[in-house]
Each structure stands twice: as structure tokens, then as C-alpha cells.
Amino acid sequence: MYKTVLVPLDGSSVAEQVLPHAVQFARGFRAAVVLFHVVPSAGVAASPLTPEEKARIAEVDQYLVQLKERLVKEGVKEASWAVTAGDPADEIIRYADRAGADLVVMSTHGRSEAYQWLFGSVASKVLQGLSIPVLILRPREAVRPASG
């Protein structure tokens, strides 16, 4: 049923909490996992990358390589990674289509309803923009305590 599971990550421990779920899907369906990171940007830079930008990209690459190796050790038959720049929601939608993903497994950071109303959320934009299943998990750190 699922051959490719796309896992968008932003480098936070909150986002990484989806990994055990993605691993279970991948092992159960013998699917490949693609770890995906979007470097937010307002557009494509007109000049060559600065040394600082190159260093940041190298850090993201190393981060994803380590996660990929972890997933393979946990029994995922095939794992890879990709990095793009742009609007996170737009890039996740575009890459899911391009990679032929059958499932997206991602977290939401659980920001307030007012924040989401004003700015939208990456998770809800991805959910609306894709026709494939999207599993959105709300990790523990993202849950706000009940007021009272």
C-alpha cells in the first residue's frame, strides 16, 4: 500500500517525535523513508551562497545523514534525505508529488488557534494541498496545558 513515506523535519526535537511512527509504517509496508528538510527563504538568492549559508547547509546535511543511519539501524529497508529552500508547506507538497510519496508523516507544533488563523500552519497547508494520506502528530511538547 505505501512505498514511499515522506517525513518533513525542521531540526527540532518536536518534529523528530514522528520518527518512530514513520519507522513503523516503513517496516510494516516495507516502504522507503525520505527525510525532508526545507530551509525557509523568501526566494532564491541572486548571489552565491555566503560561507555562513554553506555552513548551515552542511549542518543540515549532517543532521539528516545521522537520522538516516538511525532509521536503517531500526529496520527501515531504504532511507534517503533531501533538502530544499523555499516556503515549507509549498516545498513539502512539491517534493511529495515529485518523489511519488504515498504517505506524509509530520508533526504540528501546536501553536495557538489565533496564530494559526493569522498565519496558517504548515501542517494544515500540506493537508489541504495533497491528495495522499497525511498523518499529522501532535507531540507531547506541543500540547498546551489546559487552562483553568
Side-chain angles (χ1 to χ4, degrees):
M1 177 179 262
Y2 300 115
K3 294 179 182 172
T4 304
V5 178
L6 182 66
V7 182
L9 298 167
D10 63 6
S12 71
S13 61
V14 171
E16 284 181 27
Q17 288 185 36
V18 303
L19 290 173
H21 301 277
V23 167
Q24 289 298 320
F25 273 100
R27 287 194 328 214
F29 290 101
R30 300 189 46 77
V33 172
V34 179
L35 303 170
F36 187 66
H37 183 86
V38 179
V39 176
S41 76
V44 177
S47 61
L49 293 175
T50 66
E52 293 80 17
E53 290 169 325
K54 288 179 184 179
R56 176 66 183 130
I57 290 171
E59 288 173 13
V60 170
D61 285 346
Q62 186 58 34
Y63 162 73
L64 293 174
V65 166
Q66 289 172 350
L67 287 179
K68 174 190 164 210
E69 291 170 358
R70 181 175 126 196
L71 294 183
V72 170
K73 287 179 184 175
E74 292 177 11
V76 173
K77 75 169 187 160
E78 181 183 337
S80 61
W81 55 270
V83 179
T84 65
D87 174 77
D90 292 343
E91 288 300 308
I92 293 166
I93 293 165
R94 183 190 64 75
Y95 195 84
D97 288 338
R98 186 174 140 216
D102 307 297
L103 173 68
V104 174
V105 177
M106 63 187 296
S107 71
T108 180
H109 285 227
R111 291 189 173 98
S112 72
E113 290 178 28
Y115 180 91
Q116 289 187 13
W117 180 78
L118 286 171
F119 302 105
S121 81
V122 171
S124 64
K125 288 178 183 177
V126 169
L127 186 61
Q128 293 172 11
L130 288 173
S131 60
I132 61 173
V134 178
L135 174 63
I136 299 175
L137 299 167
R138 190 169 182 190
R140 279 186 219 104
E141 287 90 15
V143 177
R144 293 182 306 273
S147 59

